[in-house]
Amino acid sequence: LLWQQVQSIEQELLPGKQEILQTAQQQLKAGELNYMNWMLIVEPALQVQLQYLDSWFAYRTAVAELQYLQEKN
């Protein structure tokens, strides 16, 4: 389940996150966005990144715990 969550985020959300960040950065540099609007656009993309990192950490923690238990027995 955890691995599926990591893969789902990688495949479905991370590519869109990167596109949002690049577009927002270009618009900010071009003066099409002010800093406040840039933050409103970028914040959800950063939340996706945080969700991915949280999921990855949970997965790796579970793997490490399983390995520890296997070695213990």
Side-chain angles (χ1 to χ4, degrees):
L1 181 64
L2 288 173
W3 179 244
Q4 290 172 341
Q5 185 176 2
V6 169
Q7 285 185 317
S8 174
I9 294 170
E10 282 179 348
Q11 295 169 0
E12 297 172 20
L13 299 177
L14 286 183
K17 174 212 67 125
Q18 192 60 33
E19 186 176 331
I20 290 169
L21 291 176
Q22 288 175 348
T23 302
Q25 189 67 21
Q26 290 170 351
Q27 290 177 339
L28 181 66
K29 285 182 179 180
E32 298 170 8
L33 287 177
N34 62 31
Y35 185 71
M36 187 61 151
N37 287 334
W38 178 82
M39 287 294 297
L40 291 173
I41 292 170
V42 167
E43 194 267 337
L46 296 178
Q47 288 296 329
V48 167
Q49 182 70 32
L50 183 58
Q51 180 183 2
Y52 172 72
L53 293 173
D54 286 343
S55 296
W56 183 250
F57 179 75
Y59 169 74
R60 293 302 303 163
T61 300
V63 168
E65 289 173 358
L66 285 173
Q67 288 174 340
Y68 170 78
L69 292 173
Q70 288 176 342
E71 290 172 7
K72 191 175 179 180
N73 291 331

